[in-house]
Amino acid sequence: MTILYDSNRGCTACPLSEGCKGPVPAVGLETSKVMLIGEAPGRNEDIKGEPFTGDAGQYLDSLLDSVGIRRSDVLISNVVKCRPRGNRTPTVEEAEFCATRWLDVEVEMFQPEIIVPMGRVAIQHFLGDVTVEHVHGIPAGKVLPVYHPAAGFYDTRLMRAIQEDFQALGKLVNGETQSAPVDQHPDPDYVEYENITGKSFSSGDRPMMAYDTEVVDNKLWSVQASGVTGTAGFFPGMDQPAVKGKAVVHNYLYDAQWIDLPDSTDDTMLMAYLLGLPQGLKELAWRLCGMEMQSYQEIMGDHRRRKGLLYLSEAAKHDWPDPPDLTDVIWIKKDGRLGSVTKKPQHISRKIKRIIADVVGGKENKDGPVNPWTRWHNIDPRERAAVEEQLGKMPDASLEDVDPDTAIRYSCRDADATLRVYQVLWPKIQELGLEFTYQLDRQVLPVAMSMMQEGIALDGEFLGILGRHYMELMEAKAEDIFSLVGKRFNPNSDNELRVLMYEYLGFKPTKFTETGLPKVNKEELSKLKHAVVPMLLEYKHLAHLKDSFCDTLPGKIDSHGRVHCTINVTRTETGRWSMKEPNLQQIPARTEYGREIRKAFVAGPGYYLAAIDYSQIEMRVAAHLAQCQSMIGLFNEGRDIHTETAAQIFNVPLDQVTSQQRYPTKTMGFGVIYGLTPHGLYSQMAQEGLRD
């Protein structure tokens, strides 16, 4: 590759230049018709002074090769020329400042026919405030937005989308025309229930009826229904339509909480999940049907602004206490140590008055008029605490605040979009022969809903006792830690832990947070060779169990003594379900302390709790698909594949394989199937103390 110019290697126009070797210039063929633009240099690029030379660069090469494009025939650059500290994502301000100074000049200088921004920062520079999921792979004039190649390293679900994006690039280079989808119903007919007397909104003789719900203050506010594309009816919350016949929704597990849906209801989110497409309805409607849909934030913008201004006007009438001193710890690179910075923030009353003045005075930011909601929530929570303690949180807007015509159009569009998306997705499911797989997943949706509603019984008193026991263990462990290192500190404070490890004990940090502070998480601590590390990890493990489970779960128990979580059926790459609020799948099982938590989950009178699991199902499927006779033989003989593998790797007899030897081989076995990277394997091993 040819470095096109090196004059910007001496640029010091912004603070980013202080944390790297120097800005990285563009490289490539000056006369190329294609210009690829990333977000910012990484560590390797910073050292070599050339963009895309690390792992992401190698993957980029393979993507280009797969569509018949040579790297030497394209231009490659970045929006931001300097590597942000810790390889963090550049801010909007950093991107715009640097791009105006360098990237925009490059584009004007080289006049590429096809501009390929890769990743959010680059895409938003050219297309404004859009999401990658919404626009990737669809040409917008001479700009083809694509996912950043490195995105697939962090989320393997994106690999397919990344490859499809570059296939789109290959078609453009070969002269094949591509255009955005066209909305077939640009002037839809959305009407309120009261104005459609006599029209049936059960599916009747129609092949499908799409439904959508809107909720305000945790109560059903409206139901929308669409049986013909380009039309929809709006039903206020008290006038729900009876759901009859064949129905489809987007996210069954949400809508089924508010309206009675047949067990046979189809789910376009599930269809999109199986097809590897975006799961957001707005992204799907745009990409498949050309439907432009306003976001909830766009609808609420002025109303949120009005409510925020009223809140701040009330706050301005009060006398608030002087602000607290704010102390933060930073890593001073030139001295190789941590330093603390204490500042006295501006009085909250002055900040409130400044926001009001900016809003009333019509001040403009880069993204539009000043939004009091955003400005207020950008203030450090420690500074807002006194105000929010007395006045409560700043109220948010809802559909009740929107004029009826706007609310009806916004709400009905979701039902219309669901129907249109279904009509595109179902033929794709059939074309790929996924009907059976889809029906299996669809039929368990009511089961998941039942599980969410039923919940699981939890012994809160037991967790309280266990939490106090863990607190005693933590106190004893802390004293052991203090004796070993010869000083007392707060082991719950990341800042004090940074001082201990990177200043008092003299270790050098290798990874930093987005704000530039050295990381002290489990993965980073596990890399450090010191006797205090295992003790700290055990202390942090106990603290995590106490805080996340013993102290938190009892507060989620309902009046019937049960805990209810939210189940996600379309979020994981493996196809497994995931849970949140609380995540009951995260209850630890590999440590004795963690297993004690599980004893708090109990069965009701006359019932038992049973643990049921497929035996190494993924490995059995892999053995069958690969027709690996050695693996098939192991399973047919009832032997444990992970133990067998560990015995061979560590060269020990089968009956002497330890759990610490079996665990990494099991992790690697599943990792091969699910795309675990070498770094990912190292991280998991380090956290288990097995990296050596």
Side-chain angles (χ1 to χ4, degrees):
M1 300 296 288
T2 302
I3 297 177
L4 299 175
Y5 58 91
D6 59 9
S7 58
N8 75 343
R9 285 298 272 176
C11 177
T12 58
C14 77
L16 283 182
S17 61
E18 298 173 5
C20 62
K21 285 184 172 295
V24 176
V27 300
L29 186 66
E30 295 183 43
T31 57
S32 174
K33 65 188 295 185
V34 178
M35 184 174 188
L36 303 170
I37 302 167
E39 297 185 334
R43 189 179 303 277
N44 287 327
E45 289 81 1
D46 181 37
I47 294 172
K48 296 182 179 179
E50 186 176 321
F52 282 89
T53 56
D55 292 339
Q58 294 180 23
Y59 186 38
L60 175 62
D61 290 347
S62 68
L63 290 168
L64 293 172
D65 288 341
S66 70
V67 295
I69 301 174
R70 294 184 302 176
R71 181 179 175 123
S72 58
D73 291 337
V74 300
L75 283 161
I76 302 180
S77 188
N78 281 305
V79 175
V80 172
K81 299 301 184 184
C82 292
R83 179 180 69 87
R85 188 187 300 272
N87 287 348
R88 64 171 173 81
T89 302
T91 65
V92 173
E93 293 74 21
E94 290 168 341
E96 289 307 304
F97 180 85
C98 191
T100 301
R101 188 177 180 86
W102 292 106
L103 177 63
D104 292 346
V105 175
E106 293 172 354
V107 173
E108 181 65 26
M109 182 189 307
F110 303 124
Q111 292 290 310
E113 296 178 25
I114 304 171
I115 298 173
V116 186
M118 300 181 288
R120 177 182 60 82
V121 173
I123 290 173
Q124 289 186 348
H125 177 69
F126 288 96
L127 300 182
D129 188 18
V130 297
T131 65
V132 183
E133 190 176 47
H134 190 79
V135 300
H136 76 94
I138 300 177
K142 63 188 297 186
V143 176
L144 176 66
V146 304
Y147 272 107
H148 195 290
F153 298 161
Y154 305 103
D155 187 349
T156 54
R157 292 175 296 179
L158 297 177
M159 287 292 193
R160 185 189 308 180
I162 294 170
Q163 293 166 358
E164 290 174 350
D165 285 350
F166 278 83
Q167 289 171 7
L169 173 60
K171 292 178 181 178
L172 283 179
V173 171
N174 291 330
E176 297 182 38
T177 59
Q178 299 183 73
S179 59
V182 177
D183 188 347
Q184 298 299 317
H185 303 280
D187 189 22
D189 181 19
Y190 299 150
V191 289
E192 190 171 2
Y193 173 75
E194 296 173 352
N195 299 325
I196 54 174
T197 304
K199 290 188 179 181
S200 170
F201 274 82
S202 62
S203 57
D205 57 355
R206 295 190 180 101
M208 179 66 68
M209 177 69 70
Y211 295 92
D212 175 70
T213 60
E214 295 294 342
V215 176
V216 173
D217 294 334
N218 206 35
K219 294 179 182 178
L220 181 66
W221 189 74
S222 68
V223 178
Q224 296 70 241
S226 176
V228 176
T229 56
T231 70
F234 176 89
F235 298 78
M238 299 302 294
D239 299 314
Q240 294 184 38
V243 180
K244 299 177 181 178
K246 199 167 183 180
V248 60
V249 295
H250 189 80
N251 191 359
Y252 173 94
L253 293 182
Y254 179 81
D255 291 315
Q257 297 179 62
W258 307 105
I259 57 176
D260 294 328
L261 291 170
D263 287 351
S264 60
T265 299
D266 280 300
D267 188 341
T268 49
M269 179 183 284
L270 181 59
M271 291 180 178
Y273 176 59
L274 289 179
L275 293 168
L277 296 173
Q279 293 168 43
L281 180 59
K282 290 173 174 56
E283 284 73 25
L284 282 171
W286 160 247
R287 301 183 67 79
L288 301 179
C289 310
M291 293 181 68
E292 287 282 6
M293 300 176 68
Q294 286 183 289
S295 69
Y296 190 79
Q297 289 72 24
E298 290 173 322
I299 292 291
M300 293 301 138
D302 289 342
H303 302 282
R304 172 181 278 182
R305 180 177 180 272
R306 177 179 56 82
K307 281 193 167 183
L309 190 58
L310 288 173
Y311 177 89
L312 294 176
S313 297
E314 176 62 29
K317 300 175 183 178
H318 295 256
D319 291 327
W320 302 108
D322 290 337
D325 289 346
L326 303 182
T327 301
D328 294 305
V329 176
I330 62 171
W331 179 256
I332 304 174
K333 186 175 181 181
K334 65 178 181 179
D335 297 334
R337 66 177 182 85
L338 286 162
S340 62
V341 176
T342 300
K343 62 180 180 179
K344 173 76 74 173
Q346 189 181 61
H347 200 284
I348 193 65
S349 295
R350 294 189 63 184
K351 292 191 174 184
I352 290 171
K353 292 177 181 177
R354 170 54 60 189
I355 297 174
I356 294 174
D358 287 345
V359 173
V360 174
K363 183 177 179 180
E364 293 273 339
N365 291 327
K366 288 183 178 180
D367 55 353
V370 170
N371 187 325
W373 172 275
T374 303
R375 281 277 293 273
W376 177 250
H377 287 89
N378 283 339
I379 297 174
D380 191 303
R382 294 171 289 182
E383 299 178 58
R384 306 193 319 252
V387 178
E388 294 180 345
E389 183 177 348
Q390 182 168 335
L391 300 183
K393 301 288 187 181
M394 181 180 282
D396 202 355
S398 72
L399 285 173
E400 288 185 330
D401 302 308
V402 179
D403 71 87
D405 289 342
T406 301
I408 289 172
R409 180 179 177 83
Y410 170 81
S411 303
C412 284
R413 198 144 178 82
D414 283 351
D416 182 16
T418 299
L419 184 62
R420 296 199 216 181
V421 165
Y422 170 82
Q423 293 176 346
V424 176
L425 293 182
W426 180 242
K428 291 181 180 291
I429 293 283
Q430 293 176 307
E431 179 184 345
L432 295 173
L434 292 174
E435 299 102 317
F436 178 73
T437 303
Y438 168 71
Q439 294 300 341
L440 284 178
D441 284 349
R442 183 192 61 75
Q443 290 169 12
V444 299
L445 292 177
V447 177
M449 175 58 66
S450 177
M451 292 170 62
M452 289 166 55
Q453 294 171 337
E454 185 70 16
I456 186 170
L458 186 67
D459 187 341
E461 183 178 353
F462 172 83
L463 282 178
I465 296 171
L466 188 61
R468 290 190 289 273
H469 174 58
Y470 285 167
M471 188 66 215
E472 293 173 356
L473 293 176
M474 289 166 60
E475 291 171 347
K477 182 60 63 177
E479 292 300 326
D480 291 341
I481 291 171
F482 301 154
S483 297
L484 178 62
V485 299
K487 66 174 293 187
R488 304 183 74 83
F489 65 98
N490 179 4
N492 298 316
S493 167
D494 281 355
N495 284 338
E496 293 194 32
L497 197 52
R498 290 184 182 101
V499 172
L500 174 74
M501 303 308 298
Y502 300 126
E503 185 170 334
Y504 184 75
L505 296 180
F507 291 101
K508 297 297 181 184
T510 59
K511 287 193 176 181
F512 298 83
T513 66
E514 287 202 359
T515 57
L517 295 176
K519 288 187 176 182
V520 285
N521 56 14
K522 185 177 180 181
E523 178 183 351
E524 290 305 299
L525 289 177
S526 298
K527 297 176 181 178
L528 307 179
K529 295 289 189 179
H530 194 282
V532 76
V533 169
M535 301 168 70
L536 284 170
L537 293 179
E538 183 175 352
Y539 178 92
K540 290 172 84 67
H541 179 56
L542 285 165
H544 169 67
L545 294 177
K546 179 181 180 299
D547 294 342
S548 300
F549 303 111
C550 298
D551 296 347
T552 303
L553 287 179
K556 298 183 180 295
I557 300 175
D558 68 8
S559 59
H560 301 288
R562 308 183 77 83
V563 171
H564 304 265
C565 68
T566 298
I567 296 176
N568 297 315
V569 299
T570 63
R571 287 292 181 265
T572 67
E573 175 67 5
T574 63
R576 296 187 178 196
W577 290 359
S578 62
M579 296 181 180
K580 63 180 182 180
E581 299 175 356
N583 185 355
L584 299 182
Q585 293 175 311
Q586 251 186 352
I587 310 299
R590 289 186 51 77
T591 67
E592 180 181 350
Y593 298 138
R595 288 190 290 272
E596 287 296 306
I597 302 288
R598 298 191 167 215
K599 295 179 181 178
F601 295 91
V602 296
Y607 292 88
Y608 295 91
L609 292 179
I612 303 171
D613 187 22
Y614 286 114
S615 176
Q616 302 167 355
I617 183 65
E618 291 93 343
M619 304 302 293
R620 294 174 187 270
V621 171
H624 171 74
L625 293 176
Q627 282 298 296
C628 178
Q629 296 305 311
S630 60
M631 291 176 68
I632 293 173
L634 284 173
F635 289 126
N636 285 337
E637 295 170 16
R639 292 151 63 188
D640 180 76
I641 189 169
H642 303 309
T643 302
E644 297 273 351
T645 306
Q648 295 180 36
I649 291 177
F650 294 101
N651 194 28
V652 296
L654 280 173
D655 58 358
Q656 294 181 24
V657 173
T658 66
S659 60
Q660 282 203 328
Q661 292 171 328
R662 184 180 181 275
Y663 178 73
T665 58
K666 176 181 178 180
T667 302
M668 192 62 233
F670 288 116
V672 169
I673 298 173
Y674 291 125
L676 181 66
T677 64
H679 175 72
L681 177 64
Y682 177 87
S683 297
Q684 291 193 32
M685 295 301 99
Q687 292 184 41
E688 295 294 329
L690 302 172
R691 63 190 177 96
D692 294 329

PDB file of all heavy atoms in Angstrom, residues 254-269:
ATOM      1  N   TYR A 254     -44.117  -9.541  24.346  1.00  0.00           N
ATOM      2  CA  TYR A 254     -44.532  -8.223  24.836  1.00  0.00           C
ATOM      3  C   TYR A 254     -46.039  -8.044  24.680  1.00  0.00           C
ATOM      4  O   TYR A 254     -46.749  -7.759  25.648  1.00  0.00           O
ATOM      5  CB  TYR A 254     -43.786  -7.110  24.104  1.00  0.00           C
ATOM      6  CG  TYR A 254     -44.201  -5.727  24.578  1.00  0.00           C
ATOM      7  CD1 TYR A 254     -43.656  -5.194  25.736  1.00  0.00           C
ATOM      8  CD2 TYR A 254     -45.143  -4.981  23.881  1.00  0.00           C
ATOM      9  CE1 TYR A 254     -44.035  -3.938  26.195  1.00  0.00           C
ATOM     10  CE2 TYR A 254     -45.533  -3.728  24.325  1.00  0.00           C
ATOM     11  CZ  TYR A 254     -44.975  -3.209  25.487  1.00  0.00           C
ATOM     12  OH  TYR A 254     -45.363  -1.974  25.935  1.00  0.00           O
ATOM     13  N   ASP A 255     -46.533  -8.213  23.456  1.00  0.00           N
ATOM     14  CA  ASP A 255     -47.950  -7.942  23.198  1.00  0.00           C
ATOM     15  C   ASP A 255     -48.876  -8.897  23.948  1.00  0.00           C
ATOM     16  O   ASP A 255     -49.974  -8.507  24.351  1.00  0.00           O
ATOM     17  CB  ASP A 255     -48.228  -8.014  21.692  1.00  0.00           C
ATOM     18  CG  ASP A 255     -47.583  -6.878  20.934  1.00  0.00           C
ATOM     19  OD1 ASP A 255     -47.685  -5.728  21.394  1.00  0.00           O
ATOM     20  OD2 ASP A 255     -46.950  -7.127  19.896  1.00  0.00           O
ATOM     21  N   ALA A 256     -48.437 -10.143  24.157  1.00  0.00           N
ATOM     22  CA  ALA A 256     -49.289 -11.114  24.849  1.00  0.00           C
ATOM     23  C   ALA A 256     -49.483 -10.777  26.322  1.00  0.00           C
ATOM     24  O   ALA A 256     -50.344 -11.354  26.982  1.00  0.00           O
ATOM     25  CB  ALA A 256     -48.702 -12.521  24.711  1.00  0.00           C
ATOM     26  N   GLN A 257     -48.683  -9.846  26.850  1.00  0.00           N
ATOM     27  CA  GLN A 257     -48.901  -9.394  28.220  1.00  0.00           C
ATOM     28  C   GLN A 257     -50.140  -8.515  28.332  1.00  0.00           C
ATOM     29  O   GLN A 257     -50.704  -8.361  29.421  1.00  0.00           O
ATOM     30  CB  GLN A 257     -47.696  -8.593  28.710  1.00  0.00           C
ATOM     31  CG  GLN A 257     -46.397  -9.364  28.790  1.00  0.00           C
ATOM     32  CD  GLN A 257     -45.259  -8.472  29.253  1.00  0.00           C
ATOM     33  OE1 GLN A 257     -45.267  -7.938  30.353  1.00  0.00           O
ATOM     34  NE2 GLN A 257     -44.270  -8.301  28.394  1.00  0.00           N
ATOM     35  N   TRP A 258     -50.578  -7.937  27.200  1.00  0.00           N
ATOM     36  CA  TRP A 258     -51.636  -6.915  27.250  1.00  0.00           C
ATOM     37  C   TRP A 258     -52.918  -7.324  26.545  1.00  0.00           C
ATOM     38  O   TRP A 258     -53.986  -6.796  26.878  1.00  0.00           O
ATOM     39  CB  TRP A 258     -51.096  -5.618  26.639  1.00  0.00           C
ATOM     40  CG  TRP A 258     -49.807  -5.197  27.259  1.00  0.00           C
ATOM     41  CD1 TRP A 258     -48.547  -5.294  26.725  1.00  0.00           C
ATOM     42  CD2 TRP A 258     -49.634  -4.662  28.577  1.00  0.00           C
ATOM     43  NE1 TRP A 258     -47.615  -4.843  27.613  1.00  0.00           N
ATOM     44  CE2 TRP A 258     -48.246  -4.447  28.774  1.00  0.00           C
ATOM     45  CE3 TRP A 258     -50.507  -4.333  29.616  1.00  0.00           C
ATOM     46  CZ2 TRP A 258     -47.727  -3.929  29.946  1.00  0.00           C
ATOM     47  CZ3 TRP A 258     -49.994  -3.820  30.790  1.00  0.00           C
ATOM     48  CH2 TRP A 258     -48.615  -3.617  30.951  1.00  0.00           C
ATOM     49  N   ILE A 259     -52.838  -8.209  25.564  1.00  0.00           N
ATOM     50  CA  ILE A 259     -54.041  -8.687  24.881  1.00  0.00           C
ATOM     51  C   ILE A 259     -53.978 -10.203  24.769  1.00  0.00           C
ATOM     52  O   ILE A 259     -52.899 -10.797  24.780  1.00  0.00           O
ATOM     53  CB  ILE A 259     -54.188  -8.061  23.475  1.00  0.00           C
ATOM     54  CG1 ILE A 259     -52.945  -8.340  22.609  1.00  0.00           C
ATOM     55  CG2 ILE A 259     -54.441  -6.575  23.572  1.00  0.00           C
ATOM     56  CD1 ILE A 259     -53.086  -7.827  21.180  1.00  0.00           C
ATOM     57  N   ASP A 260     -55.144 -10.817  24.681  1.00  0.00           N
ATOM     58  CA  ASP A 260     -55.222 -12.277  24.556  1.00  0.00           C
ATOM     59  C   ASP A 260     -54.930 -12.668  23.112  1.00  0.00           C
ATOM     60  O   ASP A 260     -55.716 -12.359  22.205  1.00  0.00           O
ATOM     61  CB  ASP A 260     -56.604 -12.770  24.972  1.00  0.00           C
ATOM     62  CG  ASP A 260     -56.869 -12.550  26.454  1.00  0.00           C
ATOM     63  OD1 ASP A 260     -55.896 -12.613  27.232  1.00  0.00           O
ATOM     64  OD2 ASP A 260     -58.040 -12.312  26.823  1.00  0.00           O
ATOM     65  N   LEU A 261     -53.825 -13.337  22.912  1.00  0.00           N
ATOM     66  CA  LEU A 261     -53.433 -13.776  21.574  1.00  0.00           C
ATOM     67  C   LEU A 261     -53.562 -15.293  21.470  1.00  0.00           C
ATOM     68  O   LEU A 261     -53.248 -16.013  22.431  1.00  0.00           O
ATOM     69  CB  LEU A 261     -51.986 -13.372  21.287  1.00  0.00           C
ATOM     70  CG  LEU A 261     -51.716 -11.873  21.121  1.00  0.00           C
ATOM     71  CD1 LEU A 261     -50.223 -11.595  21.079  1.00  0.00           C
ATOM     72  CD2 LEU A 261     -52.391 -11.343  19.855  1.00  0.00           C
ATOM     73  N   PRO A 262     -54.002 -15.797  20.324  1.00  0.00           N
ATOM     74  CA  PRO A 262     -54.054 -17.251  20.147  1.00  0.00           C
ATOM     75  C   PRO A 262     -52.662 -17.859  20.251  1.00  0.00           C
ATOM     76  O   PRO A 262     -51.661 -17.208  19.918  1.00  0.00           O
ATOM     77  CB  PRO A 262     -54.615 -17.410  18.728  1.00  0.00           C
ATOM     78  CG  PRO A 262     -55.224 -16.091  18.375  1.00  0.00           C
ATOM     79  CD  PRO A 262     -54.466 -15.062  19.135  1.00  0.00           C
ATOM     80  N   ASP A 263     -52.596 -19.115  20.708  1.00  0.00           N
ATOM     81  CA  ASP A 263     -51.293 -19.785  20.778  1.00  0.00           C
ATOM     82  C   ASP A 263     -50.648 -19.915  19.407  1.00  0.00           C
ATOM     83  O   ASP A 263     -49.430 -20.078  19.295  1.00  0.00           O
ATOM     84  CB  ASP A 263     -51.454 -21.178  21.407  1.00  0.00           C
ATOM     85  CG  ASP A 263     -51.702 -21.103  22.907  1.00  0.00           C
ATOM     86  OD1 ASP A 263     -51.587 -20.003  23.469  1.00  0.00           O
ATOM     87  OD2 ASP A 263     -52.027 -22.152  23.507  1.00  0.00           O
ATOM     88  N   SER A 264     -51.442 -19.838  18.349  1.00  0.00           N
ATOM     89  CA  SER A 264     -50.917 -19.992  16.987  1.00  0.00           C
ATOM     90  C   SER A 264     -50.407 -18.680  16.402  1.00  0.00           C
ATOM     91  O   SER A 264     -50.019 -18.626  15.228  1.00  0.00           O
ATOM     92  CB  SER A 264     -52.017 -20.543  16.072  1.00  0.00           C
ATOM     93  OG  SER A 264     -53.132 -19.643  16.047  1.00  0.00           O
ATOM     94  N   THR A 265     -50.385 -17.612  17.198  1.00  0.00           N
ATOM     95  CA  THR A 265     -49.959 -16.306  16.698  1.00  0.00           C
ATOM     96  C   THR A 265     -48.546 -16.355  16.131  1.00  0.00           C
ATOM     97  O   THR A 265     -47.630 -16.916  16.748  1.00  0.00           O
ATOM     98  CB  THR A 265     -50.009 -15.266  17.828  1.00  0.00           C
ATOM     99  OG1 THR A 265     -51.352 -15.152  18.304  1.00  0.00           O
ATOM    100  CG2 THR A 265     -49.532 -13.905  17.348  1.00  0.00           C
ATOM    101  N   ASP A 266     -48.359 -15.760  14.954  1.00  0.00           N
ATOM    102  CA  ASP A 266     -47.028 -15.670  14.351  1.00  0.00           C
ATOM    103  C   ASP A 266     -46.287 -14.464  14.912  1.00  0.00           C
ATOM    104  O   ASP A 266     -46.896 -13.503  15.393  1.00  0.00           O
ATOM    105  CB  ASP A 266     -47.132 -15.560  12.833  1.00  0.00           C
ATOM    106  CG  ASP A 266     -47.360 -16.919  12.179  1.00  0.00           C
ATOM    107  OD1 ASP A 266     -46.503 -17.801  12.355  1.00  0.00           O
ATOM    108  OD2 ASP A 266     -48.406 -17.088  11.512  1.00  0.00           O
ATOM    109  N   ASP A 267     -44.966 -14.506  14.839  1.00  0.00           N
ATOM    110  CA  ASP A 267     -44.120 -13.460  15.405  1.00  0.00           C
ATOM    111  C   ASP A 267     -43.048 -13.083  14.391  1.00  0.00           C
ATOM    112  O   ASP A 267     -42.161 -13.884  14.078  1.00  0.00           O
ATOM    113  CB  ASP A 267     -43.476 -13.955  16.698  1.00  0.00           C
ATOM    114  CG  ASP A 267     -42.735 -12.854  17.454  1.00  0.00           C
ATOM    115  OD1 ASP A 267     -42.415 -11.830  16.840  1.00  0.00           O
ATOM    116  OD2 ASP A 267     -42.457 -13.034  18.650  1.00  0.00           O
ATOM    117  N   THR A 268     -43.120 -11.855  13.853  1.00  0.00           N
ATOM    118  CA  THR A 268     -42.150 -11.431  12.842  1.00  0.00           C
ATOM    119  C   THR A 268     -40.762 -11.224  13.444  1.00  0.00           C
ATOM    120  O   THR A 268     -39.763 -11.332  12.728  1.00  0.00           O
ATOM    121  CB  THR A 268     -42.617 -10.136  12.158  1.00  0.00           C
ATOM    122  OG1 THR A 268     -42.994  -9.173  13.153  1.00  0.00           O
ATOM    123  CG2 THR A 268     -43.811 -10.396  11.257  1.00  0.00           C
ATOM    124  N   MET A 269     -40.668 -10.932  14.732  1.00  0.00           N
ATOM    125  CA  MET A 269     -39.350 -10.820  15.350  1.00  0.00           C
ATOM    126  C   MET A 269     -38.654 -12.173  15.335  1.00  0.00           C
ATOM    127  O   MET A 269     -37.452 -12.269  15.046  1.00  0.00           O
ATOM    128  CB  MET A 269     -39.461 -10.309  16.791  1.00  0.00           C
ATOM    129  CG  MET A 269     -38.110 -10.196  17.504  1.00  0.00           C
ATOM    130  SD  MET A 269     -38.236  -9.677  19.222  1.00  0.00           S
ATOM    131  CE  MET A 269     -38.570  -7.942  19.001  1.00  0.00           C
TER     132      MET A 269
END
